[in-house]
Amino acid sequence: MIMESVVSELEGTLLKTKDPFSYFMLVAFEASGLIRFALLLLFWPVIQLLDACGKPDIGLKLAIFLATVGVPISEIESVARAVLPKFYFDDIDMEAWKVFNLGDKRVVVTKMPTVMVERFVKEHLLADEVIGSELVVSRFGFATGLVRDGEFGSSACDRVVAMFNGQKPTVGLARCVSDSPFLSLCKEQVNAPYMIKEHTHRPHQKTRPVPVIFHDGRLVKRPTPSTALLILLWIPIGVVLAIFRILVGAMLPMWAIPYMACIFGSKVIVKGVPPPPPSGSNGGVLFVCTHRTLMDPVVLSTVLQRSIPAVTYSVSRLSEILSPIPTVRLTRIRHVDAEKIKKELSKGDLVVCPEGTTCREPFLLRFSALFAELTDRIVPVAMNYRVGFFHATTAKGWKGLDPIFFFMNPRPVYEVTFLNQLPAEATCSSGKSPHDVANYVQRILAATLGFECTNFTRKDKYRVLAGNDGTVSYTTLMDRVQKVGKTVRKVVGTFKPFVFN
């Protein structure tokens, strides 16, 4: 059978979760904040009661209203672009998607506003069209919390009919016929378990959804009602615990931190043999690390029980102040950065993360080749971490809170794996190009962690998550004052003829 078209329900079919409430909780938390997050959770029993009383549409509209009213539509779009895809992807029902992906034309029907799901279903589930509700937006760009009339239930059927010009779609996918009225429009209805007896594969058909490599947001777990309640109860405790952990770490000598970390719930797992401290006038080794969080160089120094400087790029001033190790701020001007790194290596060991930014998923970004040009004494270090509640990285948020969020987790765990120093024949001294050396280091680190290598860069990450290329401006306070002064003079100059005539 040739599947010309497939229409599938999103909730409960392509996604395992039937109730979209947790996704509204994510929008409330990431687009608005903790107060809206708590308010929406407070109304969860009311939404459940409406559902039990046979009024699921009213409960859904209430959830949409509480999650979006007064929120700039740009913020909702940002959350849909940077935060929600990861949680959707983890919730995919692969058997349903395999059937869905057989169609030449693939349409998704969802209970959620289109703006929340359209990017994900088109880019990752490879859908062609989305049928969902549309948020009403004020002329000032704020969501009113309302959806356009008649966009639930039977209206979805009308839109399916209109999309196919009155023709019947080939296959309809849904977990339950009674909850999905559009199934009656399809030639064949497929319910769980999702299987098609005979079908023809399309050429170059993908075997899995497009993975989510970059994502943002602070929450690690999808906030179901029970998880959301646990997060709210933990936050006050976590803030106090984070401040205490940071203060204790700042006061203790480096050798004592691992022992105190165990007492306060943290854990560091060390594999491999670290090199000895530098001796003589040969300079130090360059520790080339995978970049998972802001804490990578700090944890490495803690394991080695000595303070090792780290090169940084977009670290906030607050993080630099709180850092127990020296930091060397790069400019992204190649010759300037090269001189800085050479100078630090002449003094001793140095830590560098050539990916240039963090990546949460099991992928390594492309390594900058600069480090390979500057020294042959290279020690690759595979860094990884596990946290329970909060991510310690952000693309759009304030990076100064990264260490706070890391230490707010009940039991943060770090894994540090030291690889052997690169032999001379694997470095530039043997005639290899810096790019070959960088790619080799990336491959062996990826193999150690079980990750995949990619050609993505910092710019790719920030274009996806923040809509910019991740460039940081390093102007001084005086430069900023002078820039403001020029702007003021320009404005005054514009109005001068009107003032003095």
Side-chain angles (χ1 to χ4, degrees), residues 9 12-13 18 157 172-186 188-192 194:
E9 191 174 35
T13 304
K18 183 179 179 181
C157 295
L173 278 177
R175 188 167 296 274
C176 180
V177 177
S178 61
D179 292 341
S180 309
F182 69 85
L183 281 183
S184 61
L185 304 174
C186 304
E188 183 180 351
Q189 302 174 3
V190 180
N191 307 112
Y194 305 103

Side-chain angles (χ1 to χ4, degrees), residues 473-493:
S473 176
Y474 288 107
T475 55
T476 64
L477 179 61
M478 186 57 66
D479 291 335
R480 293 173 190 168
V481 171
Q482 290 176 353
K483 186 176 180 180
V484 171
K486 289 179 181 178
T487 303
V488 171
R489 286 195 296 271
K490 186 176 180 180
V491 172
V492 171

Side-chain angles (χ1 to χ4, degrees), residues 1-3 102 196-201 205:
M1 179 181 70
I2 298 175
M3 293 176 59
L102 295 174
I196 296 290
K197 293 181 180 179
E198 299 178 1
H199 62 268
T200 302
H201 286 275
Q205 183 177 336

Side-chain angles (χ1 to χ4, degrees), residues 125-359:
L125 297 185
L126 308 177
D128 298 304
E129 300 292 342
V130 183
I131 295 177
S133 58
E134 299 296 331
L135 288 174
V136 178
V137 181
S138 72
R139 61 175 180 170
F140 301 107
F142 292 90
T144 62
L146 306 176
V147 294
R148 301 193 189 281
D149 293 334
E151 296 204 342
F152 295 102
S154 61
S155 177
C157 295
D158 298 336
R159 295 170 70 185
V160 169
V161 171
M163 183 171 290
F164 288 90
N165 298 318
Q167 300 295 318
K168 285 191 173 185
T170 308
V171 173
L173 278 177
R175 188 167 296 274
C176 180
V177 177
S178 61
D179 292 341
S180 309
F182 69 85
L183 281 183
S184 61
L185 304 174
C186 304
K187 295 177 183 177
E188 183 180 351
Q189 302 174 3
V190 180
N191 307 112
Y194 305 103
M195 297 175 64
I196 296 290
K197 293 181 180 179
E198 299 178 1
H199 62 268
T200 302
H201 286 275
R202 292 182 292 114
H204 311 297
Q205 183 177 336
K206 290 186 177 291
T207 58
R208 62 174 185 171
V210 178
V212 176
I213 297 177
F214 302 121
H215 61 95
D216 205 8
R218 290 296 189 182
L219 295 182
V220 173
K221 299 179 183 292
R222 182 163 54 88
T224 59
S226 57
T227 302
L229 179 60
L230 191 59
I231 290 171
L232 286 172
L233 293 175
W234 176 256
I235 284 177
I237 302 170
V239 171
V240 174
L241 182 61
I243 294 172
F244 193 72
R245 282 169 168 169
I246 291 172
L247 291 176
V248 170
M251 292 186 292
L252 289 176
M254 196 65 69
W255 61 266
I257 293 178
Y259 303 101
M260 294 301 295
C262 295
I263 297 174
F264 293 110
S266 303
K267 184 179 181 181
V268 180
I269 300 170
V270 182
K271 301 176 183 178
V273 180
S279 58
S281 58
N282 293 329
V285 301
L286 184 64
F287 292 98
V288 178
C289 301
T290 55
H291 201 8
R292 307 306 284 171
T293 77
L294 182 73
M295 301 297 298
D296 294 337
V298 177
V299 172
L300 182 64
S301 293
T302 301
V303 168
L304 296 173
Q305 297 190 355
R306 62 183 188 271
S307 181
I308 302 177
V311 296
T312 65
Y313 176 59
S314 61
V315 175
S316 70
R317 295 297 183 186
L318 178 61
S319 297
E320 288 183 330
I321 293 170
L322 294 175
S323 176
I325 62 173
T327 57
V328 180
R329 185 174 281 262
L330 299 184
T331 62
R332 292 291 166 117
I333 303 173
R334 194 174 184 83
H335 70 277
V336 174
D337 293 341
E339 287 302 319
K340 284 187 176 183
I341 293 174
K342 285 181 180 178
K343 182 179 178 181
E344 291 298 325
L345 282 172
S346 66
K347 299 176 185 176
D349 295 342
L350 185 67
V351 183
V352 63
C353 299
E355 289 174 279
T357 187
T358 58
C359 182

Side-chain angles (χ1 to χ4, degrees), residues 8-18 23 87-101 120 124-125 173-176 190-195 207-209 222:
S8 175
E9 191 174 35
L10 182 65
E11 299 85 2
T13 304
L14 293 175
L15 301 183
K16 298 174 186 176
T17 303
K18 183 179 179 181
Y23 298 112
F87 294 95
Y88 290 143
F89 191 86
D90 290 344
D91 199 26
I92 292 175
D93 186 319
M94 286 302 300
E95 294 305 315
W97 181 81
K98 288 176 182 177
V99 176
F100 175 75
N101 194 45
F120 172 75
H124 298 278
L125 297 185
L173 278 177
R175 188 167 296 274
C176 180
V190 180
N191 307 112
Y194 305 103
M195 297 175 64
T207 58
R208 62 174 185 171
R222 182 163 54 88

Side-chain angles (χ1 to χ4, degrees), residues 21 24 40 47 58-68:
F21 180 79
F24 294 125
L40 183 55
I47 295 169
I58 297 177
L60 182 60
K61 288 180 179 180
L62 178 60
I64 294 173
F65 179 82
L66 293 172
T68 63

